[in-house]
Amino acid sequence: MRIGVFDSGLGGLSTLLSCLRYLPNAHFLFYGDSAHSPYGDKTASEVQQWTEDAYAWFVRQGVDAVVLACNTATSAAALPLREYADVPIIGIEPAIKKALMLYPEGRILLLATAMTVTGEKLRNLLTQLPNAEQRVQPLACPGLAERIESQSNDWQQQVQEYLHNHVLPFYSTDTQVIVLGCTHYCWISNWLSELNGRNIPTLDGNDGVARQLCRRLDILCLPDTPPDLPVEASIDFYFTADAAEKTQVARRLLRAHGVKT
């Protein structure tokens, strides 16, 4: 079984980890569009075209399903892709529904890219879910994914400064949970949780994507809780720019979670 996982860069590795929990024996192809990352400040038409290019590449590799491990790409391209896709397309969306269920009171802070925050997909989601428009506070974080993606020598300092200057002011006393609307943000979930000293929980959509992937592949007997990660995994990496460097970073990030590739 061959599974394609697509993101604008390294963020989607967090989604890949969730998929590995349920499909440890599958062969994964990770496509990172590092030539155009980050997607959050691009136009919807650009993101749609790049996502369609990635899908075409996956089809040539003979994959059984494609995971869009990018909220921005899902928002811009999932629907048009599904109109002609020959293999299942599994998109990701912010875990707002789960947040509303687990935290029935208080404010939900949604952190996402500008395109996700202003996109029609999020507006529709907030309209459909009871009380979502009243309780969910969307916050666009331009430049945050780019800082995480860089993995430069001082990226952690850059991110910490960004969080204190641009995110912390939006934490309120009634903020109950933080929803991570960009897979890049999953790599700094601990920092976001502890930013104001209250240890606010964070939620992302990665486990839901992995479970939906299994359902689309007719793997229906899923455990109630995510299984442990495998020690080794079969993963090929493809990046559209700086491939050798990005592949090295990707392998390092996965090794930090105990997964050898």
Side-chain angles (χ1 to χ4, degrees), residues 116-133:
T116 297
V117 166
T118 60
E120 182 179 356
K121 185 175 179 63
L122 178 60
R123 288 197 299 271
N124 291 340
L125 181 63
L126 294 178
T127 301
Q128 294 167 4
L129 297 173
N131 300 320
E133 291 180 291

Side-chain angles (χ1 to χ4, degrees), residues 100-175:
L100 290 166
M101 179 182 65
L102 295 178
Y103 302 90
E105 298 180 354
R107 185 176 297 278
I108 297 168
L109 180 60
L110 167 65
L111 307 180
T113 66
M115 186 182 297
T116 297
V117 166
T118 60
E120 182 179 356
K121 185 175 179 63
L122 178 60
R123 288 197 299 271
N124 291 340
L125 181 63
L126 294 178
T127 301
Q128 294 167 4
L129 297 173
N131 300 320
E133 291 180 291
Q134 293 75 31
R135 296 188 54 210
V136 176
Q137 178 186 10
L139 175 61
C141 299
L144 180 55
E146 185 174 10
R147 288 167 170 80
I148 298 169
E149 176 73 21
S150 73
Q151 294 292 299
S152 60
N153 292 334
D154 63 342
W155 79 270
Q156 297 186 12
Q157 179 182 346
Q158 289 188 32
V159 168
Q160 290 282 13
E161 291 176 354
Y162 183 100
L163 297 182
H164 280 276
N165 293 331
H166 300 284
V167 179
L168 181 58
F170 292 89
Y171 282 48
S172 63
T173 55
D174 64 341
T175 300

Side-chain angles (χ1 to χ4, degrees), residues 65-249:
V66 173
V67 175
L68 302 183
C70 174
N71 288 268
T72 303
T74 299
S75 178
L79 285 178
L81 262 180
R82 287 172 178 147
E83 291 181 356
Y84 67 85
D86 295 323
V87 301
I89 303 290
I90 296 88
I92 189 169
E93 64 181 23
I96 295 172
K97 184 176 181 179
K98 185 176 182 179
L100 290 166
M101 179 182 65
L102 295 178
Y103 302 90
E105 298 180 354
R107 185 176 297 278
I108 297 168
L109 180 60
L110 167 65
L111 307 180
T113 66
M115 186 182 297
T116 297
V117 166
T118 60
E120 182 179 356
K121 185 175 179 63
L122 178 60
R123 288 197 299 271
N124 291 340
L125 181 63
L126 294 178
T127 301
Q128 294 167 4
L129 297 173
N131 300 320
E133 291 180 291
Q134 293 75 31
R135 296 188 54 210
V136 176
Q137 178 186 10
L139 175 61
C141 299
L144 180 55
E146 185 174 10
R147 288 167 170 80
I148 298 169
E149 176 73 21
S150 73
Q151 294 292 299
S152 60
N153 292 334
D154 63 342
W155 79 270
Q156 297 186 12
Q157 179 182 346
Q158 289 188 32
V159 168
Q160 290 282 13
E161 291 176 354
Y162 183 100
L163 297 182
H164 280 276
N165 293 331
H166 300 284
V167 179
L168 181 58
F170 292 89
Y171 282 48
S172 63
T173 55
D174 64 341
T175 300
Q176 299 300 307
V177 62
I178 302 165
V179 174
L180 309 180
C182 172
T183 51
H184 279 81
Y185 304 168
C186 297
W187 297 105
I188 59 167
S189 59
N190 288 343
W191 297 352
L192 290 165
S193 178
E194 301 167 359
L195 188 57
N196 72 340
R198 282 182 48 214
N199 197 27
I200 302 174
T202 62
L203 291 175
D204 62 66
N206 286 329
D207 185 68
V209 169
R211 296 176 73 88
Q212 177 65 5
L213 170 64
C214 291
R215 286 189 286 266
R216 294 297 306 274
L217 294 172
D218 295 325
I219 302 172
L220 302 179
C221 297
L222 301 176
D224 293 334
T225 58
D228 292 336
L229 282 166
V231 175
E232 295 187 11
S234 176
I235 306 169
D236 289 335
F237 298 96
Y238 175 77
F239 291 95
T240 55
D242 304 318
E245 177 186 349
K246 290 291 185 180
T247 298
Q248 184 178 16
V249 174

Side-chain angles (χ1 to χ4, degrees), residues 5-17:
V5 179
F6 170 69
D7 185 38
S8 63
L10 298 168
L13 292 171
S14 62
T15 312
L16 173 61
L17 285 169

Side-chain angles (χ1 to χ4, degrees), residues 1-3 19-28 230 232-234:
M1 183 181 299
R2 296 166 68 83
I3 309 297
C19 295
L20 279 171
R21 293 182 183 275
Y22 296 95
L23 298 168
N25 298 318
H27 178 69
F28 286 88
E232 295 187 11
S234 176

